[in-house]
Amino acid sequence: MSASQSVNPIDPAEALRLRSDFPVLRQQVHGKPLVYLDNAATTQKPQVVIDRIANYYAHENGTVRRGVYKLSEQSTRDFDASRTKVAQFLNAASPSEIIFTRGTTESINLVAATYGRKFIQAGDHILISAMEHHANLVPWQQLCLEKDAVLQVVPITDAGEMDMDAFDRLLTDRVKLVAVGHVSNALGTVNPIREIIEKAHALDIPVLVDGAQSAPHMSVDLQALDCDFFTFSAHKLYGPTGVGILYGKMKYLEIMPPYQFGGDMIHSVSFEKTVFAKPPAKFEAGTPAIAEVIALATAVDYLSAIGLDRIGVYEHELLAYATAQMLEIPEVRLIGTASHKAGILSFTLKGAHPHDIGTILDREGIAIRAGHHCAQPVMERFGVPATARASFSFYNTREDIDALVKAVRIVVNLFN
Ligand code: PMP
């Protein structure tokens, strides 16, 4: 049975009802109703998340872990409850394996700066893919430069899939870490992450998964996946900016040195010596983004009530609908035609630069992304300077896709 048959689908009426939860979507842009199709960059926030932040600052604000008064104690409880909620959402073995950072970028930098600096030696290999976001490329590249280690890159096929034969060849016992994206933000490709993890583990190699584009769009079970690190950003999961999640298996968190030093990450301090706290506190120096972490729990509840499996199926239907229509336009070139894709549609148009596409679509009220999507090597691989990218959410509808396709036809007529 396919995933789409096994879940009760989101129908158009429900999508419209869900859309009404997002106040920002009720506006007009250049006199046209806003069609927001840049969900891979950031998602909009439902009213419940906005209310949670406003309520926190209006009635609850108090720092965490330090106070013995009611406001501080309640904030600490809610902050810790968010950690537990995220652990359950991802099916992590323990809330202590969830570290709050500022975003996916900081999470990956944290692993590179701690695990990487301690365990990667000269001559070691770090294996990434050619479709990584710069956030999962530059930290490893810089670590390799510092350590005289070697960054190995698994190439991608013309369809935008990881070349698994090349992966098998590059996965030698010199590899000390595999770091790959679950879903490509530039191509929409869903990588065979289970296979990658199983093969790496067969050689005792730890795997970091960049889940920035997967966690908001499919259910993730970390214990089933068995990856060693997993990360995503709250702002792409209908939550606030400024919060990232880093999951790490406790066996690694225990042997990793701290990332930053300061308050909250210590057990005891004297002028001669500091004893660090246990994970996760060891990796959370300083006052965290308290309101935002607490509101992330609200976003997780909101999404869980809809159901991640239903969201994935619905967004995939939108992708199929959009892909079929775009393929009817001869000037369109789709970049990323993998057999297994999430709701991301990257394309170029004959005669028009992606920035022109983005600007003209904006005049029609349609927000898409135009650029290299922080994945310049992907652009190079496909021989384009940039692409236009539409990315979907459960609050998008077929009417949004129709508006997109109509506007793309306007661009085609202007430039050809
Ligand atoms: N990885 C992927 C696949 C992404 O799509 C993004 C955001 N575009 C990031 C990492 C970085 O996320 P952030 O900017 O929230 O740190």
Side-chain angles (χ1 to χ4, degrees):
M1 196 190 276
S2 78
S4 56
Q5 286 167 319
S6 60
V7 303
N8 152 33
I10 294 177
D11 63 23
E14 184 178 356
L16 281 180
R17 190 173 55 68
L18 292 170
R19 185 193 197 110
S20 70
D21 292 337
F22 293 78
V24 79
L25 298 176
R26 285 177 217 145
Q27 63 187 291
Q28 302 230 322
V29 173
H30 304 303
K32 306 267 171 66
L34 169 63
V35 174
Y36 185 76
L37 295 175
D38 198 14
N39 296 290
T42 199
T43 50
Q44 300 300 347
K45 318 306 170 199
Q47 189 66 52
V48 282
V49 168
I50 299 167
D51 288 348
R52 189 68 194 92
I53 294 174
N55 199 63
Y56 178 80
Y57 284 124
H59 305 291
E60 304 166 44
N61 184 42
T63 195
V64 288
R65 302 183 197 121
R66 288 179 205 156
V68 287
Y69 50 90
K70 184 167 174 290
L71 288 176
S72 173
E73 285 174 348
Q74 188 59 44
S75 288
T76 305
R77 268 199 294 277
D78 290 343
F79 187 86
D80 290 342
S82 182
R83 198 188 302 281
T84 303
K85 175 96 44 193
V86 170
Q88 286 164 352
F89 179 64
L90 300 172
N91 194 27
S94 154
S96 303
E97 294 178 320
I98 303 294
I99 297 160
F100 289 119
T101 63
R102 284 189 302 128
T104 304
T105 304
E106 189 177 50
S107 298
I108 298 172
N109 274 278
L110 188 159
V111 178
T114 59
Y115 184 85
R117 281 225 178 93
K118 183 163 176 186
F119 295 108
I120 301 297
Q121 316 291 344
D124 287 347
H125 290 190
I126 295 177
L127 190 56
I128 64 168
S129 86
M131 71 178 89
E132 299 312 318
H133 186 282
H134 295 163
N136 197 32
L137 186 171
V138 184
W140 307 121
Q141 174 194 65
Q142 295 301 309
L143 179 70
C144 287
L145 287 171
E146 185 184 317
K147 292 287 184 172
D148 213 7
V150 183
L151 187 69
Q152 293 280 11
V153 183
V154 182
I156 50 181
T157 65
D158 290 345
E161 291 172 339
M162 241 165 107
D163 178 340
M164 290 307 286
D165 291 335
F167 175 81
D168 291 344
R169 279 196 304 279
L170 291 168
L171 191 73
T172 65
D173 57 9
R174 295 182 72 182
V175 175
K176 297 297 175 239
L177 182 76
V178 173
V180 285
H182 198 170
V183 173
S184 158
N185 68 308
L187 301 167
T189 311
V190 181
N191 282 317
I193 207 73
R194 260 172 194 275
E195 182 186 344
I196 290 169
I197 294 164
E198 271 169 23
K199 285 179 167 168
H201 281 181
L203 297 179
D204 280 334
I205 303 166
V207 180
L208 176 142
V209 177
D210 172 355
Q213 297 295 344
S214 63
H217 305 286
M218 55 185 71
S219 55
V220 171
D221 180 336
L222 289 178
Q223 290 185 75
L225 273 184
D226 199 31
C227 58
D228 304 282
F229 299 100
F230 184 92
T231 175
F232 69 90
S233 300
H235 73 94
K236 292 181 198 278
L237 193 122
Y238 307 89
T241 51
V243 179
I245 284 74
L246 172 64
Y247 158 84
K249 274 189 189 158
M250 190 47 77
K251 67 173 181 178
Y252 289 113
L253 298 183
E254 275 170 350
I255 57 171
M256 280 156 57
Y259 177 48
Q260 293 179 329
F261 303 104
D264 285 341
M265 52 76 68
I266 54 91
H267 174 67
S268 63
V269 177
S270 70
F271 284 119
E272 291 73 36
K273 176 172 176 251
T274 294
V275 177
F276 303 124
K278 289 189 184 350
K282 177 166 110 179
F283 300 101
E284 293 181 355
T287 305
I290 303 167
E292 289 76 6
V293 165
I294 291 173
L296 167 61
T298 308
V300 167
D301 279 341
Y302 179 84
L303 278 191
S304 303
I306 304 170
L308 266 293
D309 289 338
R310 301 179 69 226
I311 289 171
V313 168
Y314 180 74
E315 291 172 354
H316 199 266
E317 278 167 15
L318 287 182
L319 175 75
Y321 181 71
T323 304
Q325 291 205 54
M326 292 288 274
L327 285 174
E328 282 174 16
I329 306 174
E331 290 80 3
V332 166
R333 176 182 171 204
L334 295 184
I335 307 288
T337 50
S339 59
H340 193 191
K341 277 185 70 174
I344 291 175
L345 192 76
S346 250
F347 62 97
T348 58
L349 284 186
K350 192 170 136 258
H353 192 279
H355 286 131
D356 295 325
I357 305 173
T359 307
I360 294 167
L361 264 57
D362 177 55
R363 303 299 305 176
E364 300 298 316
I366 302 167
I368 59 154
R369 177 92 184 263
H372 54 61
H373 317 296
C374 298
Q376 285 183 354
V378 175
M379 302 297 114
E380 204 172 305
R381 167 67 179 79
F382 288 92
V384 293
T387 73
R389 181 190 70 187
S391 49
F392 310 126
S393 159
F394 55 79
Y395 48 55
N396 292 125
T397 59
R398 285 188 171 215
E399 287 69 33
D400 291 345
I401 312 283
D402 293 342
L404 168 74
V405 174
K406 192 171 160 211
V408 166
R409 288 188 187 277
I410 294 174
V411 183
V412 170
N413 290 335
L414 278 174
F415 284 84
N416 289 277

